[in-house]
Amino acid sequence: MQPDPGEMHIDASSVVLKFVDDADLPRMLKLRDKVDKAMDNILVLTPAQIAQAGLNVDDMDRLRANISDYRKVSMFLAAARQMAENLQQTSFCLGHEIAAQIGEISSQARRRARVSPARGEILNALTHLIDYQVAPAKKGLATKAKAKKSSEQGAGQAAVVAPIAKAAVRAEEVAEQEEAGPASVAS
């Protein structure tokens, strides 16, 4: 019920949620700096001070309840923001590990397919995985082809664009070269 930032369980069921239409948000009053001191001042007023100032006791009770709820919501927000940040970081780390593992599996499958008589079966079983892995190389080739086409058209020359199948074959060759690593130079 009183979470600290970093906790992985937040029970905000005691908070009564309120909703504001997006169109109404600009018209809502915003709290400014030093609001905590103003709220503290309201919370410590004695009944005698409230009466002396001519303030309505019921209004003061509602205001104190709102201050209490506001502080509770602020506490939940801080914990929820930290939890969301922790979850986002975890998502990034898991995504990194998944991408690395997909790359390794794709490379291993292509190497195995090169030497296996069941090449088609291996590649067909992992079609989506391999397509995912070579997508950046295909996109780069398409961008280069588009740039080349634009430059040739700008010079008044006829555009020559390689078919998509040729780009896909080239993308696979680029991916295979990347997995093989830099070529060693004989001394």
Coordinates of all heavy atoms in Angstrom, one line a residue, residues 66-114:
N66 N -8.1 15.7 0.0 CA -7.6 15.8 -1.3 C -6.0 15.8 -1.3 O -5.3 15.2 -2.1 CB -8.1 17.0 -2.1 CG -9.5 16.8 -2.6 OD1 -9.9 15.7 -2.8 ND2 -10.2 17.9 -2.9
I67 N -5.5 16.5 -0.3 CA -4.0 16.6 -0.1 C -3.5 15.2 0.2 O -2.5 14.8 -0.4 CB -3.6 17.6 1.0 CG1 -3.9 19.0 0.5 CG2 -2.2 17.4 1.4 CD1 -3.8 20.1 1.6
S68 N -4.2 14.5 1.1 CA -3.8 13.2 1.4 C -3.8 12.2 0.2 O -2.9 11.5 0.0 CB -4.7 12.6 2.6 OG -4.4 11.3 2.8
D69 N -4.9 12.3 -0.5 CA -5.0 11.5 -1.8 C -4.0 11.9 -2.8 O -3.4 11.0 -3.4 CB -6.4 11.6 -2.4 CG -7.5 11.0 -1.6 OD1 -7.2 10.2 -0.7 OD2 -8.7 11.3 -1.8
Y70 N -3.7 13.2 -2.9 CA -2.7 13.6 -3.9 C -1.3 13.1 -3.5 O -0.6 12.6 -4.4 CB -2.6 15.2 -3.9 CG -1.5 15.7 -4.8 CD1 -1.7 15.9 -6.1 CD2 -0.3 16.1 -4.2 CE1 -0.7 16.4 -6.9 CE2 0.7 16.7 -5.0 CZ 0.5 16.8 -6.3 OH 1.5 17.3 -7.1
R71 N -1.0 13.1 -2.3 CA 0.3 12.6 -1.8 C 0.4 11.1 -2.0 O 1.5 10.5 -2.4 CB 0.6 13.0 -0.4 CG 0.9 14.5 -0.3 CD 1.3 14.9 1.1 NE 1.8 16.3 1.0 CZ 2.1 17.1 2.0 NH1 1.9 16.6 3.3 NH2 2.6 18.3 1.9
K72 N -0.7 10.4 -1.8 CA -0.7 8.9 -2.0 C -0.5 8.6 -3.5 O 0.3 7.8 -3.8 CB -2.1 8.4 -1.5 CG -2.1 6.9 -1.5 CD -3.4 6.2 -1.1 CE -4.4 7.0 -0.4 NZ -5.7 6.3 -0.1
V73 N -1.2 9.3 -4.3 CA -1.1 9.1 -5.8 C 0.3 9.5 -6.2 O 0.9 8.7 -7.0 CB -2.1 10.0 -6.6 CG1 -1.8 10.0 -8.0 CG2 -3.5 9.5 -6.3
S74 N 0.9 10.5 -5.7 CA 2.3 10.9 -6.0 C 3.3 9.8 -5.6 O 4.2 9.5 -6.4 CB 2.7 12.2 -5.3 OG 1.9 13.2 -5.8
M75 N 3.0 9.1 -4.5 CA 3.9 8.0 -4.0 C 3.7 6.9 -5.0 O 4.7 6.3 -5.4 CB 3.4 7.6 -2.6 CG 4.1 6.4 -2.1 SD 3.4 5.9 -0.5 CE 1.7 5.5 -0.9
F76 N 2.5 6.5 -5.4 CA 2.3 5.5 -6.4 C 2.9 5.8 -7.7 O 3.5 4.9 -8.4 CB 0.8 5.1 -6.6 CG 0.2 4.4 -5.4 CD1 -0.9 4.9 -4.7 CD2 0.7 3.2 -5.0 CE1 -1.4 4.2 -3.6 CE2 0.2 2.4 -4.0 CZ -0.9 3.0 -3.3
L77 N 2.8 7.1 -8.2 CA 3.4 7.5 -9.4 C 4.9 7.3 -9.4 O 5.5 6.8 -10.4 CB 3.1 8.9 -9.7 CG 1.8 9.2 -10.5 CD1 1.5 10.7 -10.6 CD2 1.8 8.6 -11.9
A78 N 5.6 7.7 -8.4 CA 7.0 7.5 -8.3 C 7.4 6.1 -8.4 O 8.3 5.7 -9.2 CB 7.6 8.1 -7.0
A79 N 6.7 5.2 -7.7 CA 7.0 3.8 -7.7 C 6.7 3.2 -9.1 O 7.4 2.4 -9.6 CB 6.2 3.0 -6.6
A80 N 5.6 3.6 -9.7 CA 5.2 3.1 -11.0 C 6.1 3.6 -12.1 O 6.4 2.8 -13.0 CB 3.7 3.6 -11.3
R81 N 6.6 4.8 -12.0 CA 7.6 5.3 -13.0 C 8.9 4.5 -12.9 O 9.5 4.1 -13.9 CB 7.9 6.8 -12.8 CG 6.8 7.7 -13.3 CD 7.1 9.1 -13.1 NE 6.0 9.9 -13.6 CZ 5.4 10.9 -12.8 NH1 5.9 11.2 -11.6 NH2 4.4 11.6 -13.3
Q82 N 9.3 4.2 -11.7 CA 10.5 3.4 -11.5 C 10.3 2.0 -12.0 O 11.2 1.4 -12.7 CB 11.0 3.4 -10.0 CG 12.3 2.7 -9.8 CD 13.4 3.3 -10.5 OE1 13.6 4.5 -10.4 NE2 14.3 2.6 -11.2
M83 N 9.1 1.4 -11.7 CA 8.8 0.1 -12.2 C 8.8 0.1 -13.7 O 9.4 -0.8 -14.3 CB 7.5 -0.4 -11.7 CG 7.2 -1.8 -12.2 SD 5.5 -2.4 -11.8 CE 5.7 -2.8 -10.1
A84 N 8.2 1.1 -14.3 CA 8.1 1.1 -15.8 C 9.5 1.3 -16.4 O 9.8 0.6 -17.4 CB 7.2 2.3 -16.2
E85 N 10.4 2.1 -15.8 CA 11.8 2.2 -16.2 C 12.5 0.9 -16.1 O 13.2 0.5 -17.0 CB 12.5 3.3 -15.5 CG 13.9 3.6 -16.0 CD 14.6 4.7 -15.3 OE1 13.9 5.7 -14.9 OE2 15.8 4.6 -15.1
N86 N 12.3 0.2 -15.0 CA 13.0 -1.1 -14.8 C 12.5 -2.1 -15.8 O 13.3 -2.9 -16.3 CB 12.7 -1.6 -13.4 CG 13.4 -0.8 -12.3 OD1 14.3 0.0 -12.6 ND2 13.0 -1.0 -11.0
L87 N 11.2 -2.1 -16.1 CA 10.6 -3.0 -17.1 C 11.1 -2.7 -18.5 O 11.4 -3.6 -19.2 CB 9.1 -3.0 -17.0 CG 8.4 -3.6 -15.8 CD1 6.9 -3.3 -15.8 CD2 8.7 -5.1 -15.7
Q88 N 11.3 -1.4 -18.8 CA 11.8 -1.0 -20.1 C 13.3 -1.5 -20.2 O 13.6 -2.0 -21.3 CB 11.7 0.5 -20.2 CG 12.1 1.0 -21.6 CD 11.2 0.5 -22.7 OE1 10.0 0.7 -22.6 NE2 11.7 -0.1 -23.7
Q89 N 14.1 -1.3 -19.2 CA 15.5 -1.7 -19.3 C 15.5 -3.2 -19.4 O 16.4 -3.7 -20.2 CB 16.2 -1.3 -18.0 CG 16.3 0.2 -17.8 CD 17.1 0.9 -18.9 OE1 18.1 0.3 -19.4 NE2 16.7 2.0 -19.4
T90 N 14.7 -3.9 -18.7 CA 14.6 -5.4 -18.8 C 14.3 -5.8 -20.2 O 14.8 -6.7 -20.8 CB 13.6 -6.0 -17.8 OG1 14.1 -5.6 -16.5 CG2 13.6 -7.5 -17.9
S91 N 13.3 -5.1 -20.8 CA 12.9 -5.4 -22.2 C 14.0 -5.1 -23.2 O 14.3 -5.9 -24.1 CB 11.7 -4.5 -22.6 OG 11.4 -4.6 -23.9
F92 N 14.8 -4.1 -23.0 CA 16.0 -3.8 -23.8 C 17.0 -4.9 -23.7 O 17.5 -5.4 -24.7 CB 16.6 -2.5 -23.5 CG 15.9 -1.3 -23.8 CD1 15.9 -0.1 -23.1 CD2 15.0 -1.2 -25.0 CE1 15.2 1.0 -23.4 CE2 14.3 -0.1 -25.3 CZ 14.4 1.1 -24.5
C93 N 17.3 -5.4 -22.5 CA 18.3 -6.4 -22.3 C 17.8 -7.7 -22.9 O 18.6 -8.4 -23.6 CB 18.5 -6.6 -20.8 SG 19.4 -5.3 -20.0
L94 N 16.5 -8.1 -22.7 CA 16.0 -9.3 -23.3 C 16.0 -9.2 -24.8 O 16.3 -10.2 -25.5 CB 14.6 -9.6 -22.8 CG 14.6 -10.0 -21.3 CD1 13.1 -10.1 -20.8 CD2 15.3 -11.4 -21.1
G95 N 15.6 -8.1 -25.4 CA 15.6 -7.9 -26.8 C 17.0 -8.0 -27.4 O 17.2 -8.6 -28.4
H96 N 18.0 -7.5 -26.7 CA 19.4 -7.6 -27.1 C 19.8 -9.1 -27.2 O 20.4 -9.6 -28.1 CB 20.3 -6.8 -26.2 CG 21.8 -7.1 -26.4 ND1 22.5 -6.5 -27.4 CD2 22.7 -7.8 -25.7 CE1 23.7 -6.9 -27.4 NE2 23.9 -7.7 -26.3
E97 N 19.5 -9.8 -26.1 CA 19.9 -11.2 -26.0 C 19.1 -12.0 -27.1 O 19.7 -12.9 -27.8 CB 19.6 -11.8 -24.7 CG 20.5 -11.3 -23.6 CD 20.1 -11.7 -22.2 OE1 19.3 -12.7 -22.1 OE2 20.6 -11.1 -21.2
I98 N 17.9 -11.7 -27.3 CA 17.1 -12.4 -28.4 C 17.7 -12.2 -29.7 O 17.9 -13.1 -30.6 CB 15.6 -12.0 -28.3 CG1 15.0 -12.6 -27.1 CG2 14.9 -12.5 -29.6 CD1 13.6 -12.0 -26.8
A99 N 18.0 -10.9 -30.0 CA 18.6 -10.6 -31.3 C 19.9 -11.3 -31.6 O 20.2 -11.8 -32.7 CB 18.8 -9.0 -31.4
A100 N 20.7 -11.3 -30.5 CA 22.0 -12.0 -30.6 C 21.8 -13.5 -30.9 O 22.5 -14.1 -31.7 CB 22.9 -11.8 -29.4
Q101 N 20.9 -14.1 -30.2 CA 20.6 -15.6 -30.3 C 20.0 -15.8 -31.7 O 20.4 -16.8 -32.3 CB 19.7 -16.0 -29.2 CG 20.4 -16.1 -27.9 CD 19.4 -16.3 -26.7 OE1 18.2 -16.1 -26.9 NE2 19.9 -16.7 -25.6
I102 N 19.1 -15.0 -32.2 CA 18.6 -15.2 -33.6 C 19.7 -15.1 -34.6 O 19.7 -15.9 -35.5 CB 17.5 -14.1 -33.9 CG1 16.2 -14.5 -33.1 CG2 17.2 -14.0 -35.4 CD1 15.1 -13.4 -33.2
G103 N 20.6 -14.2 -34.4 CA 21.7 -14.0 -35.3 C 22.6 -15.3 -35.3 O 23.0 -15.8 -36.4
E104 N 22.9 -15.8 -34.1 CA 23.7 -17.1 -34.0 C 22.9 -18.3 -34.7 O 23.5 -19.0 -35.4 CB 24.0 -17.4 -32.6 CG 24.9 -16.4 -31.9 CD 25.1 -16.6 -30.4 OE1 24.6 -17.7 -29.9 OE2 25.6 -15.8 -29.8
I105 N 21.6 -18.4 -34.4 CA 20.9 -19.5 -35.0 C 20.8 -19.4 -36.5 O 21.0 -20.4 -37.2 CB 19.5 -19.6 -34.3 CG1 19.6 -20.0 -32.9 CG2 18.6 -20.5 -35.1 CD1 18.3 -19.9 -32.1
S106 N 20.6 -18.2 -37.0 CA 20.5 -18.0 -38.4 C 21.8 -18.3 -39.1 O 21.8 -19.0 -40.1 CB 20.1 -16.5 -38.7 OG 20.1 -16.3 -40.1
S107 N 22.9 -17.9 -38.5 CA 24.2 -18.2 -39.1 C 24.5 -19.7 -39.1 O 25.0 -20.2 -40.1 CB 25.3 -17.4 -38.3 OG 25.1 -16.1 -38.4
Q108 N 24.2 -20.3 -38.0 CA 24.4 -21.8 -37.9 C 23.6 -22.5 -38.9 O 24.1 -23.5 -39.5 CB 24.1 -22.2 -36.4 CG 24.4 -23.7 -36.2 CD 24.0 -24.1 -34.8 OE1 23.7 -23.3 -34.0 NE2 24.1 -25.4 -34.6
A109 N 22.3 -22.1 -39.0 CA 21.4 -22.8 -40.0 C 21.9 -22.6 -41.4 O 21.9 -23.6 -42.2 CB 20.0 -22.3 -39.9
R110 N 22.4 -21.4 -41.8 CA 22.9 -21.2 -43.1 C 24.2 -22.0 -43.4 O 24.4 -22.6 -44.4 CB 23.1 -19.7 -43.4 CG 21.8 -19.0 -43.6 CD 22.0 -17.6 -44.1 NE 23.0 -16.9 -43.3 CZ 22.7 -15.7 -42.7 NH1 21.6 -15.2 -42.8 NH2 23.6 -15.1 -42.0
R111 N 25.1 -22.1 -42.3 CA 26.3 -22.9 -42.5 C 25.9 -24.3 -42.7 O 26.5 -25.0 -43.5 CB 27.2 -22.7 -41.3 CG 28.0 -21.4 -41.3 CD 29.0 -21.4 -40.2 NE 28.6 -21.6 -38.9 CZ 28.1 -20.7 -38.0 NH1 28.2 -19.5 -38.3 NH2 27.7 -21.1 -36.8
R112 N 25.0 -24.8 -41.9 CA 24.6 -26.2 -42.0 C 23.9 -26.5 -43.3 O 24.2 -27.5 -44.0 CB 23.6 -26.6 -40.8 CG 23.0 -28.0 -40.8 CD 24.1 -29.1 -40.6 NE 24.8 -29.0 -39.4 CZ 24.5 -29.6 -38.3 NH1 23.5 -30.4 -38.2 NH2 25.3 -29.4 -37.2
A113 N 23.1 -25.6 -43.8 CA 22.4 -25.7 -45.1 C 23.4 -25.8 -46.3 O 23.2 -26.5 -47.2 CB 21.4 -24.6 -45.3
R114 N 24.5 -25.1 -46.2 CA 25.6 -25.1 -47.2 C 26.1 -26.5 -47.5 O 26.5 -26.8 -48.6 CB 26.7 -24.1 -46.9 CG 26.4 -22.7 -47.4 CD 27.6 -21.8 -47.3 NE 27.2 -20.7 -46.5 CZ 27.8 -20.2 -45.4 NH1 28.9 -20.8 -45.0 NH2 27.3 -19.2 -44.8

